[in-house]
Amino acid sequence: MNDSTTRKNSKSVTLSEPDIDSLADRVLQAQDAATPIGKLTLDYPDMTIADGYEVQKALRARWVARGERVLGFKAGLTSRAKMEQMGVDAPGFGILTSAMARPENSAISVTDLIHPRVEAELAFMMKDELSGSAVSVDDVLAATDYVIPALEIIDSRFEQFKFDLESVIADNCSSARFVTGGRPMNVDQLDDLRTLGVVIEKNGNIEEMAATAAVLNHPANAIIEIVRHLHAHGESLPAGSLILTGGVTAAIPAAAGDSMVARYQHLGSISVRFVV
Amino acid sequence: MTPEQHERYGDELYEALVGRTTVAPLTEREPDIRIEDGYQIQQRMIQRRLDAGERIVGKKIGVTSRAVQQMIGVDQPDFGQLTSSMAFEEGQPLPLGGLIQPKAEAELAFVLKHDLTGPGITATDVIRATDYVVPCFEIVDSRITDWKIRIQDTVADNASCGVYLLGQTRSTPRQVDLNLAGMVLERNGELFSTAAGAAVQGGPVNAVVWLANTLGELGLPFRAGEVILSGSQSSLIPVQPGDRMTCSIGGVGSCEVVFTKEAA
């Protein structure tokens, strides 16, 4: 993070359009070729969080131009375990596209990833649009079509998975692949979205466990933050959006040969395996 | 160690308990002490409580998480015995004054409706014998100076048991997958930590199975009506008078405790 004495205004865009385009190309190339790069702030020390989101917007245009469909958003760094693991103190948001989705129980290649890690999340499918700066948990739940377990395979493009918030936002918050599965449920079928237990196993060993309140005290708070973020950019969260609310535990490294299962209270389980 | 040594250390720990003082780790004074010696010392310490008019009301299982087992270099849990003076109910303020160096743990408690006599007990027997499960707080305490415990010290000191408080919302293992039941722990209205039942031996029923079989080998009874604290799903939480803590377990219910200063 930045020195507190020189903390810049994270809300202002400081980079020129050509700089933003060149950073988007650099990140996209690293994503597509699975080759790590240095933190963007090494070259652009004055880069702000707003600049990071401008790079993300340029990435989105490139994905759409090559035929990917935007599915929704992901919130990252939403649990204390994740913030501590990555050394940041605020959540970030990224875009989900159809090219990132993989089927439940599929074999996921690690060859086109740099240093993949897996995290278990609660995903929301929205049935109504949400907008504004004052959305409540009840508003989110009323606008939710269903919730469903999700495993996200994150992969930072930055060397050693080390970054600052400005750089990771420009890297679409380390998005790589995701899998939804298990049992979708309406939120009114669940008495409490905070106490859902999640247990993650790697090759049969329990690695991590948590309850869903680990994400911002209630996973719907991640959606509130996304709606607020979109509102600040003059946008809303469209009906039909899929939202990954962020890992409930620290992320678990995955290598070829590993098999992972996340079991969710009431919501079934998801499994993936990793291959060369 | 000799029976006389067991008795002497058991008396020493009992007197520390009553006098609210601490003693040097037994493992520093008896380098050859074994876990079995620890249980003999614990028996003496408990006998002193029974002689003073208390009753056995249950058991506690400790050292159940892999993290704690690795920290103290063991590959299995330990157990202590719950006596009548340790029991509190939700709604009663919990006085810290009678304790020495208390820390809170959030757990799931089992109450049995049938005796369980090990060895040879399995998970299905535990499910059959369970009357209900209930969220609870255990306030652990150590009669060993500065909590400088090795496994033999904590076993001798009744598994560092202090007092416990049961909630009022109950469920049964027939209605909830206890391994996946999420736990949310809050202190003074702020989220403190989360976990799931799998934190305890892969699942709380597994911990009770271990206890039934271990008690069976030692010839100790495990009776209908006893309360079993199945092991902490949280880290050790330092507590102060005035603190309010809530533990909510998905599908089971919740338990709230408010700590006060005065002695019990």
Side-chain angles (χ1 to χ4, degrees):
Chain A
M1 299 298 295
N2 309 292
D3 291 338
S4 54
T5 48
T6 59
R7 182 85 204 181
K8 55 224 173 190
N9 182 352
S10 63
K11 288 186 178 152
S12 39
V13 176
T14 65
L15 297 181
S16 68
E17 222 164 289
D19 282 342
I20 286 163
D21 276 331
S22 118
L23 286 178
D25 289 335
R26 190 193 294 187
V27 169
L28 190 63
Q29 158 70 19
Q31 290 175 349
D32 289 347
T35 45
I37 55 177
K39 286 189 295 193
L40 307 186
T41 46
L42 296 175
D43 289 347
Y44 295 89
D46 294 332
M47 186 181 167
T48 63
I49 286 169
D51 290 323
Y53 283 115
E54 288 301 308
V55 175
Q56 207 181 92
K57 200 192 277 180
L59 277 176
R60 176 188 180 134
R62 283 155 176 74
W63 288 326
V64 170
R66 69 188 189 188
E68 298 179 30
R69 187 166 78 85
V70 171
L71 304 180
F73 297 90
K74 60 161 284 179
L77 309 162
T78 46
S79 68
R80 191 164 60 183
K82 279 289 303 182
M83 289 188 207
E84 281 172 6
Q85 185 180 30
M86 303 321 309
V88 299
D89 61 3
F93 315 103
I95 296 154
L96 297 176
T97 78
S98 49
M100 301 171 191
R102 293 291 180 276
E104 217 274 311
N105 197 32
S106 59
I108 294 180
S109 170
V110 297
T111 306
D112 52 1
L113 298 170
I114 301 166
H115 32 212
R117 295 180 180 178
V118 178
E119 47 192 44
E121 314 189 14
L122 190 64
F124 287 63
M125 171 56 74
M126 309 309 295
K127 64 181 174 192
D128 297 318
E129 182 183 20
L130 280 173
S131 61
S133 58
V135 170
S136 69
V137 167
D138 285 346
D139 294 335
V140 170
L141 299 184
T144 299
D145 189 357
Y146 60 86
V147 293
I148 187 169
L151 280 182
E152 189 182 359
I153 295 96
I154 56 170
D155 188 28
S156 177
R157 265 54 65 166
F158 301 116
E159 285 150 1
Q160 267 95 53
F161 228 112
K162 292 222 166 77
F163 49 67
D164 41 47
L165 202 51
E166 292 80 6
S167 297
V168 72
I169 286 168
D171 185 27
N172 201 37
C173 288
S174 310
S175 71
R177 313 280 181 260
F178 72 90
V179 175
T180 53
R183 177 185 180 192
M185 281 181 89
N186 295 326
V187 289
D188 56 12
Q189 292 172 280
L190 293 160
D191 13 290
D192 187 357
L193 283 186
R194 298 180 70 235
T195 56
L196 294 170
V198 183
V199 176
I200 310 164
E201 295 173 11
K202 174 167 147 179
N203 305 326
N205 290 311
I206 294 174
E207 290 278 326
E208 295 280 354
M209 68 206 76
T212 43
V215 167
L216 296 175
N217 203 33
H218 191 306
N221 282 328
I223 298 176
I224 291 176
E225 296 290 336
I226 288 173
V227 173
R228 220 177 257 160
H229 162 72
L230 291 170
H231 180 73
H233 291 80
E235 295 170 42
S236 61
L237 180 64
S241 294
L242 175 70
I243 311 291
L244 302 188
T245 54
V248 295
T249 69
I252 303 164
D258 285 341
S259 158
M260 303 255 195
V261 178
R263 295 188 288 145
Y264 287 68
Q265 188 175 21
H266 304 310
L267 295 167
S269 62
I270 324 180
S271 60
V272 293
R273 62 208 154 86
F274 293 88
V275 296
V276 174
Chain B
M1 290 172 69
T2 64
E4 291 71 28
Q5 285 174 303
H6 295 150
E7 187 174 315
R8 181 154 50 80
Y9 283 115
D11 288 342
E12 183 184 312
L13 286 165
Y14 175 74
E15 274 143 30
L17 172 89
V18 172
R20 291 168 204 163
T21 55
T22 60
V23 301
L26 278 49
T27 45
E28 284 179 5
R29 295 181 276 161
E30 298 287 342
D32 297 331
I33 186 172
R34 302 181 329 157
I35 293 177
E36 292 75 10
D37 295 310
Y39 281 114
Q40 293 301 319
I41 295 166
Q42 177 190 121
Q43 274 299 99
R44 174 64 184 182
M45 189 189 185
I46 290 295
Q47 188 57 50
R48 293 287 306 269
R49 296 183 81 148
L50 301 183
D51 292 346
E54 294 191 49
R55 286 175 297 112
I56 299 281
V57 296
K59 308 283 185 289
K60 69 151 284 186
I61 310 172
V63 195
T64 46
S65 77
R66 200 168 52 178
V68 173
Q69 289 180 3
Q70 282 168 355
M71 192 173 74
I72 63 176
V74 294
D75 59 2
Q76 58 169 2
D78 67 3
F79 75 87
Q81 304 180 64
L82 305 178
T83 62
S84 40
S85 74
M86 299 176 186
F88 289 80
E89 294 290 333
E90 190 171 12
Q92 276 182 280
L94 204 146
L96 293 171
L99 301 171
I100 304 163
Q101 35 190 353
K103 295 173 195 286
E105 298 180 336
E107 314 190 9
L108 185 72
F110 287 65
V111 176
L112 296 185
K113 62 180 171 188
H114 301 304
D115 294 357
L116 273 175
T117 308
I121 295 295
T122 66
T124 47
D125 299 313
V126 169
I127 293 166
R128 178 172 175 273
T130 299
D131 187 5
Y132 59 89
V133 293
V134 56
C136 73
F137 279 100
E138 181 185 357
I139 314 308
V140 292
D141 196 13
S142 183
R143 272 62 61 176
I144 305 291
T145 304
D146 298 332
W147 275 97
K148 278 178 61 184
I149 53 170
R150 297 178 63 194
I151 184 72
Q152 298 91 331
D153 297 299
T154 183
V155 166
D157 187 27
N158 197 29
S160 307
C161 204
V163 296
Y164 70 94
L165 179 139
L166 296 184
Q168 288 163 343
T169 44
R170 300 173 177 179
S171 187
T172 86
R174 299 157 198 239
Q175 283 168 354
V176 185
D177 181 341
L178 295 175
N179 302 2
L180 297 186
M183 172 183 280
V184 177
L185 186 59
E186 290 162 301
R187 183 170 65 182
N188 302 326
E190 301 264 317
L191 181 68
F192 184 85
S193 66
T194 77
V200 172
Q201 298 284 109
V205 166
N206 295 343
V208 180
V209 169
W210 173 86
L211 177 63
N213 289 325
T214 303
L215 290 172
E217 282 162 21
L218 294 170
L220 290 170
F222 198 16
R223 302 261 191 241
E226 285 197 34
V227 174
I228 300 124
L229 311 186
S230 65
S232 182
Q233 297 185 24
S234 63
S235 53
L236 289 171
I237 309 155
V239 289
Q240 296 178 27
D243 282 347
R244 174 185 300 266
M245 301 197 66
T246 308
C247 142
S248 305
I249 300 181
V252 179
S254 65
C255 175
E256 184 177 85
V257 58
V258 179
F259 297 101
T260 60
K261 196 169 187 174
E262 56 272 26

